[in-house]
Amino acid sequence: MRRKIVAGNWKMNKTFDEAEDLLFGISDELANNSPEEVSIVVFPPALYLELANDVANENNFFTGVQNISEHESGAYTGEISAAMISSTGASFAILGHSERRMYFGETDAIIARKIDQAIKHNITPVYCCGEVLEERESEKHFEVVEKQIGQALFHLTKEDFSKVVIAYEPVWAIGTGRTATPQQAQEMHAFIRKVLAAKFGETAANETPVLYGGSCNAANARELFANEDVDGGLIGGASLKASDFVKIANSF
Ligand code: PEP
């Protein structure tokens, strides 16, 4: 059975006290309503990782970061390496998020190097792919996603690929309140699995969790997660409220 995952990308939000409130809020909500067989991951700003790891360890969820350096170590001011993240106990990294591509110039080649770093240091990469509105409207979305997947993941061995999680995040749905329909999500997830099967084989493709991200919330998660190829969600805005986030995690 494929792993089900609900992951919360906090982006650049929350002061320390607010982060503490949110983490304890999640742990309180989970105490009342903990989903079975769903891995819950929170991605706070990296400087709150120690706190997040303590709360996560006690409450059976995981932590990760929103970015890592493509470099191993050294003179890269402001960067945080995969080895550093791993040494804190965090175990996931969001890589290739559209905001990193758009605002920080990350290409698939750079992202591929970050994925290598993550895997080398036992961090599960959550690789984000997805088309912008113009690409969807001109019906290039399948082509775009296939290319993103090929360029960032196809250099991996089968064994390393088995450590990857994919998040399909149509850019037009991120933070816009405009969610992909369950049909659009299912259609793209099935396509992603087909692309993965052609490269890594049916078994690997069937075992890879493919999450949906883009204005997924407590009201629409259930109909999105009900689809055969949707294995959970990468949640932005709705992960900033503990009750909504845990409700989403209970939406299978
Ligand atoms: C995201 O940034 O990964 C995301 C899915 O954001 P939102 O849920 O706010 O659309």
Side-chain angles (χ1 to χ4, degrees):
M1 207 175 74
R2 274 196 300 272
R3 188 178 187 186
K4 294 186 172 76
I5 301 173
V6 169
N9 175 11
W10 295 10
K11 311 194 187 193
M12 198 174 73
N13 291 298
K14 304 288 178 190
T15 60
F16 185 85
D17 287 351
E18 290 165 350
E20 197 167 42
D21 283 350
L22 179 51
L23 287 162
F24 286 123
I26 292 170
S27 89
D28 287 348
E29 294 287 334
L30 286 175
N32 298 326
N33 202 5
S34 184
E36 274 175 33
E37 292 170 0
V38 179
S39 299
I40 296 175
V41 193
V42 297
F43 294 87
L47 78 168
Y48 306 147
L49 267 187
E50 192 182 340
L51 167 70
N53 288 338
D54 286 346
V55 181
N57 287 340
E58 279 180 21
N59 294 279
N60 216 12
F61 62 92
F62 301 92
T63 62
V65 287
Q66 302 166 19
N67 181 33
I68 56 171
S69 173
E70 67 189 282
H71 304 290
E72 180 68 33
S73 66
Y76 299 102
T77 301
E79 289 286 87
I80 303 179
S81 74
M84 292 171 188
I85 297 303
S86 191
S87 71
T88 71
S91 51
F92 286 78
I94 296 172
L95 296 174
H97 193 281
S98 61
E99 288 151 17
R100 302 281 327 162
R101 294 177 190 262
M102 241 181 315
Y103 306 135
F104 301 95
E106 287 192 15
T107 60
D108 281 318
I110 294 172
I111 298 160
R113 292 196 286 276
K114 293 185 178 208
I115 286 172
D116 292 343
Q117 279 296 317
I119 291 172
K120 181 175 173 193
H121 294 285
N122 295 317
I123 293 173
T124 302
V126 179
Y127 175 63
C128 302
C129 55
E131 77 286 356
V132 300
L133 186 59
E134 196 194 338
E135 292 161 342
R136 162 81 45 179
E137 284 174 345
S138 54
E139 296 187 0
K140 294 206 178 89
H141 45 296
F142 293 118
E143 192 186 313
V144 168
V145 169
E146 183 170 14
K147 195 165 163 214
Q148 289 173 334
I149 288 178
Q151 290 185 340
L153 300 177
F154 279 10
H155 66 290
L156 295 174
T157 62
K158 229 170 150 171
E159 198 202 327
D160 281 348
F161 174 72
S162 71
K163 297 165 188 160
V164 172
V165 171
I166 292 183
Y168 168 57
E169 298 209 307
V171 181
W172 46 270
I174 296 180
T176 59
R178 182 179 167 187
T179 321
T181 64
Q183 293 73 19
Q184 285 172 324
Q186 169 57 27
E187 185 184 39
M188 182 58 89
H189 286 225
F191 174 75
I192 289 172
R193 231 178 273 294
K194 205 173 84 186
V195 169
L196 297 177
K199 171 70 184 171
F200 296 107
E202 290 284 342
T203 308
N206 279 331
E207 285 171 359
T208 304
V210 184
L211 315 183
Y212 169 78
S215 298
C216 180
N217 58 39
N220 61 27
R222 191 168 290 283
E223 56 173 3
L224 286 160
F225 299 172
N227 291 285
E228 193 186 333
D229 288 293
V230 179
D231 305 311
L234 178 55
I235 318 298
S239 73
L240 298 174
K241 200 172 155 204
S243 55
D244 283 358
F245 182 57
V246 173
K247 191 164 176 211
I248 295 168
N250 279 289
S251 296
F252 289 92

